[in-house]
Amino acid sequence: MRTLNPAMKFVTLLCVTFVLAFRYNPVLNLAVFALCMAALLISRVKPKTLGLLMLPILLAAVGMFFTGYRFSADASMPVAAADFLVSNSQVWNGVAQASRVLAYAGVGFLFTLTTDRILMVKSFEKQFHLPQVWAYGLLAAWGVFPQAVQEYKRTRAAFRARGLSVFPVSPALMKPLLVKSVRWSEELAIAMESKGFSGEEKRTEYMEVRVHARDWLFLIFCVALVCVFSI
Amino acid sequence: MTTKKWELKDIIMMAILGVVFSAIYLVIFDGGVVLSTVLAPTGLSNFAFEIIYGVWFMAATLAAYIIRKPGVALVTEVLASVVELLMGNSGGVTVVLTGLIQGAGAELAFALFRYKKWDLASMSLASVFSATFIFCYELYYLNYIALDPSLLIAQLAVRFVSAIVFSGVICKLAGDGLAKTGVVKSYAIGAKAKTGKVYDEED
């Protein structure tokens, strides 16, 4: 999974998610979820990381189960419910709603946990023809992130040192962060422009992100797989 | 200030707002999960997310309010969703698509005002449009269509209120607050705002 082209992987998984969105089949959802988990473990994602990330998802799935269980659409729906509902059982409806959450999350983690971030932006730039300003602007902003976290912690510490207790996402903490964000964006823009960045010149790259045959194979294989199983 | 063309600093501003807000989105998501777990046995756990749904539209309206150029709302929301993907969100790859849909909703509202009206009304309309757009998508994507219609109407109503509170009122206050500090002087929002003396970090 790690060696696949990020843009192609993105398209593939997007297709898979779409097929799932128009199916109402808990078995398919659970199968996709299981496959994603297997693929993640094969790609050497630590089981502990995965488990921690799955915790909120499992809770959300439980919530969706009860929603589906309690509030099933009845025959008065404008869209023929029979097309969507395989059986009228409420439990089935609940399981379908919950398994959907799991399948989407599985596919999502398969992408994020096996994709290098910088490579992803570079690949989007190359394969999706994202303009240079966006690609580098995004990378620059991404680089600011650790500083933003630092700034947040510093402000929080400052409040604590003065004996004031503030809510984690309170405006008092957000305001300095926003002010800093504006300053950073100006400074970064000036820094980039003063070093000759204009976003229009052709440039050479130290590392070219290419699409290989295996990326196409992966796309065809995955889409075919979900299509076959969803019939 | 009258130029409608994007400058590099606008783009980086949008990207940084995207980064800040996607971090907020992730924190809020976990908060929502906790809340929805509490509500789970009643079958109302969907409402946990409806209450805070407006938070997800904040990046678009705030960026548009500050920069005030066409396309800003749409692009910022997409950028925020891309960064959310980079940070490892749990909604999956389609988060970029939802960003696109929400951003398009907000953008449409500002476009209806021809990018000339920047106040609570246009921002609230942008939030409501975002909420409506994403709800139509979720009908299919999250299979909400299989849920009871009266539940759905209630959900939509709560979502509208949340959208107006978070990305209408709070974003407006945040934007005005920023304008008052003077840091956004070089953006459209700060051009007219009355500010005191601006102290630089190094002073």
Side-chain angles (χ1 to χ4, degrees):
Chain A
M1 287 306 292
R2 286 182 200 275
T3 52
L4 291 172
N5 178 287
M8 288 294 283
K9 189 158 55 173
F10 179 78
V11 172
T12 306
L13 296 178
L14 201 60
C15 291
V16 169
T17 321
F18 265 127
V19 176
L20 291 182
F22 287 99
R23 289 283 145 201
Y24 190 79
N25 185 349
V27 182
L28 174 70
N29 287 344
L30 291 174
V32 167
F33 175 67
L35 274 179
C36 288
M37 290 300 118
L40 278 169
L41 292 177
I42 292 169
S43 321
R44 292 191 303 277
V45 172
K46 285 196 193 92
K48 195 184 161 194
T49 323
L50 196 58
L52 280 175
L53 282 168
M54 280 314 293
L55 199 68
I57 305 303
L58 286 175
L59 292 177
V62 171
M64 269 318 272
F65 170 79
F66 281 107
T67 309
Y69 177 75
R70 287 272 175 110
F71 299 96
S72 297
D74 48 2
S76 64
M77 289 282 291
V79 176
D83 295 346
F84 286 89
L85 296 164
V86 185
S87 86
N88 272 329
S89 140
Q90 286 185 320
V91 177
W92 184 261
N93 196 23
V95 171
Q97 296 285 6
S99 64
R100 193 169 263 264
V101 174
L102 289 180
Y104 289 157
V107 174
F109 287 145
L110 193 55
F111 184 79
T112 47
L113 295 181
T114 64
T115 307
D116 181 76
R117 276 138 194 176
I118 295 182
L119 210 60
M120 180 185 125
V121 176
K122 299 228 59 128
S123 164
F124 277 15
E125 183 199 350
K126 197 88 183 160
Q127 270 85 46
F128 295 160
H129 300 286
L130 188 74
Q132 275 182 25
V133 253
W134 292 106
Y136 288 94
L138 196 58
L139 285 177
W142 179 253
V144 161
F145 184 62
Q147 265 192 302
V149 174
Q150 267 296 318
E151 182 64 27
Y152 176 79
K153 283 188 184 148
R154 219 179 293 152
T155 320
R156 223 178 154 181
F159 272 98
R160 198 171 300 154
R162 292 180 172 85
L164 301 168
S165 61
V166 278
F167 190 63
V169 280
S170 81
L173 291 176
M174 290 298 130
K175 197 178 161 196
L177 199 55
L178 277 177
V179 171
K180 278 274 173 161
S181 303
V182 178
R183 281 201 203 278
W184 284 325
S185 62
E186 280 182 341
E187 280 165 15
L188 269 173
I190 292 168
M192 283 166 81
E193 273 166 354
S194 67
K195 265 132 195 132
F197 180 86
S198 78
E200 270 141 37
E201 282 88 14
K202 262 191 119 78
R203 56 194 297 153
T204 52
E205 281 163 57
Y206 71 95
M207 168 186 66
E208 279 202 45
V209 192
R210 289 214 181 85
V211 178
H212 298 277
R214 59 165 184 261
D215 297 313
W216 286 108
L217 281 177
F218 178 68
L219 173 75
I220 296 164
F221 174 74
C222 287
V223 174
L225 198 68
V226 282
C227 285
V228 166
F229 276 103
S230 60
I231 293 167
Chain B
M1 239 354 85
T2 48
T3 173
K4 291 282 178 196
K5 212 175 157 289
W6 290 352
E7 291 162 58
L8 184 62
K9 72 173 177 116
D10 296 337
I11 291 175
I12 294 186
M13 174 80 178
M14 288 184 239
I16 289 186
L17 279 178
V19 169
V20 171
F21 274 100
S22 51
I24 295 176
Y25 294 168
L26 289 176
V27 173
I28 293 285
F29 177 78
D30 287 342
V33 166
V34 172
L35 194 59
S36 78
T37 314
V38 176
L39 292 174
T42 59
L44 293 174
S45 67
N46 275 11
F47 280 97
F49 279 98
E50 298 301 337
I51 294 168
I52 52 172
Y53 217 107
V55 175
W56 272 269
F57 314 138
M58 284 174 83
T61 43
L62 183 60
Y65 188 55
I66 293 172
I67 301 174
R68 302 189 179 182
K69 289 181 186 177
V72 170
L74 175 63
V75 170
T76 309
E77 196 65 26
V78 174
L79 279 180
S81 64
V82 170
V83 179
E84 221 182 324
L85 185 66
L86 285 169
M87 287 183 186
N89 95 315
S90 42
V93 279
T94 46
V95 67
V96 177
L97 203 65
T98 55
L100 192 67
I101 294 169
Q102 291 169 2
E107 193 63 46
L108 179 67
F110 290 126
L112 282 179
F113 289 108
R114 292 169 186 275
Y115 302 105
K116 284 198 178 116
K117 205 167 149 117
W118 301 99
D119 57 11
L120 196 57
S122 65
M123 287 171 83
S124 301
L125 188 70
S127 325
V128 169
F129 274 19
S130 291
T132 317
F133 273 43
I134 198 66
F135 195 78
C136 293
Y137 162 80
E138 283 178 351
L139 275 181
Y140 290 94
Y141 180 67
L142 292 178
N143 215 8
Y144 278 176
I145 212 146
L147 298 175
D148 190 350
S150 55
L151 173 81
L152 291 183
I153 291 168
Q155 264 184 270
L156 191 60
V158 175
R159 185 175 302 189
F160 278 163
V161 174
S162 159
I164 291 173
V165 169
F166 283 104
S167 62
V169 179
I170 295 185
C171 276
K172 172 103 178 24
L173 291 177
D176 292 342
L178 267 182
K180 222 180 276 170
T181 62
V183 282
V184 282
K185 251 192 169 156
S186 59
Y187 296 94
I189 186 184
K192 284 182 213 120
K194 270 184 102 153
T195 53
K197 183 171 165 13
V198 181
Y199 293 95
D200 208 330
E201 287 165 78
E202 283 80 20
D203 288 349

